[in-house]
Amino acid sequence: MRVISRFYVAALLAVMVIVGAGAAWAGAGQPTPWQLGPQESVTPVMDWIVSFHNYLLWVITLIAAFVLVLLLIVIFRFNSRANPTPSRTTHNTVIEVAWTAIPVIILLSIAIPSFKLLFFQLNTPPADLTIKVTGQQWNWKYSYPDNGKFEFVSIMLQDDERQAKLAKEPKADVPRLLAVDNEIVVPVNKVVRVLVTGADVIHSFAVPSFGIKIDAVPGRINETWFKAEREGMYYGQCSELCGKDHACMPIAVRVVSEQAFAAWLEEVKKKYASEDSRTTVAAAH
């Protein structure tokens, strides 16, 4: 029993170390080799998700440890050799009350913060920027309805395109199956409202570092939001099985300063002006 107890304590300590270090081992913006835990958070929503995730890991670990201890006690203390005359006890009021009340308390301790998190996620604060996202087989189409009549399609870079870009820009961030030709660009520390819909089948718009994941349903507009608090490149993917190229629908979001965003906006308006606006300008001339 003493050897088993020492082994159990060592195993429990190892699990706690892994649980505590998991989030720190995860990278920001994209998956990293041997990643444990969620990607590093860059938004208030993801901060809360990571905190809740770590809390649940502790709860689950303690419950699993408690059940393991009970199993070991049953195996070694109440086997036929150690306990040849079994007890005939059929009721124990204290134990029956405990195994009813304690699970209720545990569930309440999980439910209350989870409801608060859901409320925080689903109530969009006043937005500084709105982006409309349309999932298509198999790419994403983006528009900025409050910033002009333009839209563009974002398509995953093939390996030869990645190599060509790296040849021109050796330090370019072009991870395989995640890099795209046209990225979403948003300003840092601004509330971004994301309106999501589908053009054909159900897709799912998900960016792990932002803590957002919402279905793109044809004929319906769903809404989510994020506030990126750090500049950089952040990746996501379609998280709903949508057809043969489901794995080829990455999402790339570049978070920049307000000045850089304003410059990009002027550039993209000229580059991706809609056909309607071009026709209107031509008619006016």
Side-chain angles (χ1 to χ4, degrees):
M1 285 294 291
R2 185 174 299 175
V3 174
I4 293 174
S5 298
R6 290 176 180 175
F7 173 79
Y8 163 71
V9 171
L12 181 60
L13 289 174
V15 170
M16 289 180 175
V17 169
I18 292 174
V19 169
W25 290 359
Q30 59 182 289
T32 54
W34 299 98
Q35 175 179 322
L36 293 175
Q39 290 184 22
E40 188 176 339
S41 170
V42 293
T43 68
V45 170
M46 190 57 182
D47 287 344
W48 201 329
I49 291 174
V50 171
S51 176
F52 188 51
H53 167 270
N54 292 338
Y55 167 68
L56 287 182
L57 276 181
W58 280 106
V59 172
I60 292 170
T61 301
L62 292 175
I63 291 174
F66 175 70
V67 173
L68 177 60
V69 169
L70 291 182
L71 286 174
L72 292 175
I73 291 173
V74 169
I75 292 171
F76 291 99
R77 185 175 178 182
F78 294 102
N79 59 55
S80 59
R81 182 183 302 173
N83 192 49
T85 305
S87 170
R88 298 297 180 181
T89 303
T90 57
H91 293 283
N92 186 303
T93 303
V94 174
I95 292 178
E96 290 177 359
V97 171
W99 75 39
T100 302
I102 293 174
V104 170
I105 294 172
I106 293 173
L107 290 175
L108 285 175
S109 72
I110 294 172
I112 292 172
S114 70
F115 290 150
K116 290 182 178 180
L117 174 57
L118 283 173
F119 183 83
F120 186 52
Q121 286 180 298
L122 298 177
N123 283 270
T124 306
D128 300 301
L129 177 69
T130 299
I131 299 176
K132 182 182 177 184
V133 178
T134 304
Q136 306 178 135
Q137 291 181 309
W138 286 271
N139 53 62
W140 297 99
K141 182 168 68 175
Y142 303 114
S143 64
Y144 290 62
D146 296 337
N147 299 96
K149 292 184 177 181
F150 68 89
E151 60 184 19
F152 57 90
V153 175
S154 179
I155 300 174
M156 185 187 76
L157 293 181
Q158 301 299 318
D159 286 341
D160 57 340
E161 295 172 316
R162 291 175 53 251
Q163 295 303 323
K165 187 169 183 178
L166 283 173
K168 295 179 180 178
E169 306 173 48
K171 295 184 178 180
D173 185 16
V174 283
R176 188 172 183 271
L177 299 180
L178 289 176
V180 300
D181 56 353
N182 295 312
E183 305 151 354
I184 306 174
V185 179
V186 300
V188 68
N189 288 321
K190 297 294 182 182
V191 175
V192 180
R193 177 175 56 189
V194 186
L195 305 178
V196 183
T197 188
D200 32 52
V201 299
I202 299 177
H203 302 274
S204 186
F205 187 82
V207 183
S209 288
F210 293 172
I212 60 174
K213 181 181 181 296
I214 192 164
D215 284 349
V217 183
R220 178 181 298 176
I221 294 180
N222 289 328
E223 180 179 318
T224 187
W225 69 281
F226 65 87
K227 181 184 178 183
E229 299 177 326
R230 194 186 317 159
E231 295 183 25
M233 178 65 77
Y234 304 96
Y235 294 99
Q237 289 178 305
C238 176
S239 297
E240 186 75 37
L241 188 59
C242 59
K244 72 178 186 69
D245 285 338
H246 159 68
C248 301
M249 287 184 64
I251 300 159
V253 185
R254 185 181 296 277
V255 182
V256 299
S257 65
E258 289 188 59
Q259 295 78 8
F261 174 73
W264 173 85
L265 200 57
E266 290 304 316
E267 178 184 347
V268 83
K269 284 179 181 178
K270 299 175 183 177
K271 185 177 180 181
Y272 299 112
S274 67
E275 292 298 327
D276 291 342
S277 61
R278 292 175 185 171
T279 303
T280 302
V281 171
H285 284 16

